[in-house]
């Protein structure tokens, strides 16, 4: 058996070998892969510093109920997780009329 006819195997799993002469045009135009994270909306971006600093805020619900001194502990696309009166609760964003934050955050 001749060893020059056998394919060359690579022991590196993290690298990809590419022959630049054989790259098709559609491979060079691919955008950089963005992670699975979605773009934050404006109100969500303002919640991030509140979560980190544990700043209490006031939330006014659509029904008129007012939640004072609420600490935001997390959020997702549809809801906000809060600590209120010693309990952890989940509030749907669609039920919130206003979020009142201190002037300096």
């Amino acid at each position: 058996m001749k060893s020059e006819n056998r394919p060359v195997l690579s022991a590196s799993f993290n690298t990809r070998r590419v022959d630049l002469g054989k790259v098709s045009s559609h491979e060079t135009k691919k955008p950089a892969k963005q992670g699975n994270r979605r773009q934050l909306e404006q109100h969500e971006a303002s919640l991030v510093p509140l979560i980190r600093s544990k700043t209490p805020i006031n939330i006014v619900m659509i029904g008129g109920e007012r939640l004072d001194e609420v600490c935001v502990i997390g959020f997702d696309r549809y809801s906000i997780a809060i600590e209120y009166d010693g309990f952890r609760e989940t509030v749907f964003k669609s039920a919130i009329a206003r979020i009142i934050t201190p002037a300096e955050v």
Side-chain angles (χ1 to χ4, degrees):
M1 278 199 238
K2 292 185 177 180
S3 63
E4 55 195 11
N5 292 338
R6 295 169 56 195
V8 177
L9 300 177
S10 174
S12 175
F13 296 104
N14 294 333
T15 60
R16 179 178 161 198
R17 295 183 182 183
V18 177
D19 183 6
L20 295 178
K22 296 182 180 180
V23 174
S24 62
S25 62
H26 73 279
E27 287 182 6
T28 58
K29 294 181 183 178
K30 284 185 180 178
K33 188 174 183 179
Q34 304 291 327
N36 289 334
R37 294 186 174 207
R38 64 182 177 89
Q39 188 71 22
L40 291 179
E41 296 180 21
Q42 182 179 4
H43 66 278
E44 292 174 337
S46 65
L47 289 175
V48 173
L50 296 173
I51 294 170
R52 289 183 180 151
S53 66
K54 297 183 180 182
T55 304
I57 61 171
N58 300 325
I59 297 177
V60 180
M61 306 300 284
I62 287 183
E65 183 182 357
R66 186 180 175 114
L67 307 176
D68 293 324
E69 302 298 316
V70 173
C71 286
V72 180
I73 56 176
F75 63 91
D76 65 4
R77 182 172 287 194
Y78 304 107
S79 63
I80 298 175
I82 61 171
E83 280 188 8
Y84 180 65
D85 281 342
F87 296 99
R88 290 189 175 198
E89 301 180 20
T90 302
V91 178
F92 286 104
K93 289 180 180 177
S94 60
I96 297 174
R98 294 185 335 174
I99 297 176
I100 304 166
T101 60
E104 295 178 13
V105 176

